[in-house]
Amino acid sequence: MTQSLADMRRDYTRDGLSEAQAPTEPFTLFRQWFDDALHTEQLPVEPNAMTLATVDAEGRPHCRVLLLKGLDQLGFTFFSNYDSAKGEQLVARPYAAMTFFWPALERQVRIEGRVERVTADESDAYFQVRPLGSRLGAWASPQSRVIRDRTELEALLTETEQRFLDQAPHCPPHWGGYRLLPERIEFWQGRASRLHDRLNYRLQADGLWQRERLAP
Ligand SMILES: Cc1cc2nc3c(=O)[nH]c(=O)nc-3n(C[C@H](O)[C@H](O)[C@H](O)COP(=O)(O)O)c2cc1C
């Protein structure tokens, strides 16, 4: 290692986040920050990449990177294999947390809440706009299962290609979308000397959002 981990640090001075800039609900600010990320983060960073954390039946956490594929007034949508490890975890414990990190902007957003499957029509609509290779892959790959080697995966793909020679692949029953219905959304803006800005939105029983500042 050329640099010791203990010596790696960066001071954040790019921006701030004040209550005056923050709307009364979090969706507008998320869209604004996402738009900033789209225009600021350099390729190959994918601004819609986030870390999704789930817990299994024993309460052990698991996290992995996924792509956000939709945002509406209900919540944040992503797509995956329903039979995958995360799919099983979401059956056992239908709650998740997602974290976006946009380093060029020195920003982090944390979103937590209950997760539901989207409707079959919504999954199908998104499945149909995916490239053919991804659609075939969704049929071919038993996501999160142990496979012998790469050859087994390639054989599964060849089998799938044969099956769909004369017909376009439709959305598999084991594949589709999830929507995280947020109960908490926190916006973190890095500031100098680790005195960062953290504005946290909490959904209340009356459906309104409570905004509060958290200590960094
Ligand atoms: C940049 C990036 C984007 C990814 N996007 C997705 C995605 O949208 N859906 C998905 O199922 N897996 C995606 N993956 C793969 C997941 O990280 C993970 O390997 C897979 O979903 C299996 O996770 P699980 O075994 O915990 O269920 C992505 C990985 C990376 C690095």
Side-chain angles (χ1 to χ4, degrees):
M1 235 184 269
T2 51
Q3 195 184 4
S4 98
L5 289 172
D7 289 340
M8 287 179 74
R9 66 174 59 81
R10 186 175 135 196
D11 209 25
Y12 306 116
T13 53
R14 195 176 196 278
D15 211 342
L17 177 63
S18 70
E19 280 76 355
Q21 294 167 271
T24 52
E25 50 70 40
F27 287 91
T28 308
L29 187 55
F30 183 85
R31 286 178 202 282
Q32 194 181 312
W33 275 29
F34 189 77
D35 214 42
D36 291 345
L38 275 181
H39 293 106
T40 313
E41 295 295 341
Q42 299 291 309
L43 288 173
V45 167
E46 295 175 280
N48 60 331
M50 43 85 178
T51 301
L52 181 86
T54 50
V55 258
D56 63 26
E58 284 77 48
R60 289 174 186 251
H62 303 265
C63 62
R64 75 292 281 162
V65 174
L66 257 73
L67 298 178
L68 182 75
K69 285 291 172 176
L71 169 59
D72 58 20
Q73 69 288 354
L74 295 174
F76 296 78
T77 305
F78 54 93
F79 290 85
S80 195
N81 186 312
Y82 288 148
D83 295 337
S84 65
K86 81 183 79 53
E88 289 174 355
Q89 289 148 19
L90 286 169
V91 168
R93 297 272 187 272
Y95 292 89
M98 47 175 73
T99 303
F100 293 84
F101 175 42
W102 294 309
L105 292 161
E106 301 170 351
R107 286 175 178 171
Q108 168 183 247
V109 180
R110 296 169 56 178
I111 303 167
E112 295 160 10
R114 199 159 53 79
V115 176
E116 293 179 350
R117 288 187 184 186
V118 305
T119 63
D121 284 349
E122 274 180 274
S123 291
D124 198 49
Y126 173 65
F127 188 79
Q128 294 308 334
V129 302
R130 301 180 87 210
L132 178 62
S134 307
R135 281 182 283 153
L136 291 169
W139 275 102
S141 171
Q143 193 178 58
S144 315
R145 302 285 158 246
V146 174
I147 49 172
R148 200 176 49 248
D149 51 20
R150 180 88 200 171
T151 316
E152 181 178 347
L153 185 62
E154 284 161 6
L156 286 167
L157 180 63
T158 307
E159 226 173 79
T160 307
E161 284 167 345
Q162 295 300 318
R163 175 171 171 196
F164 291 107
L165 262 188
D166 305 326
Q167 45 163 330
H170 52 283
C171 185
H174 61 261
W175 191 94
Y178 291 98
R179 184 178 280 108
L180 188 157
L181 313 170
E183 290 158 11
R184 175 178 116 81
I185 305 186
E186 181 203 318
F187 296 85
W188 182 101
Q189 176 72 60
R191 299 291 303 269
S193 307
R194 300 297 184 255
L195 294 178
H196 315 300
D197 288 324
R198 299 178 66 188
L199 290 188
N200 187 45
Y201 290 83
R202 259 186 311 116
L203 187 62
Q204 309 196 97
D206 60 7
L208 294 176
W209 290 90
Q210 167 80 38
R211 198 188 64 200
E212 58 212 356
R213 179 170 284 265
L214 303 179

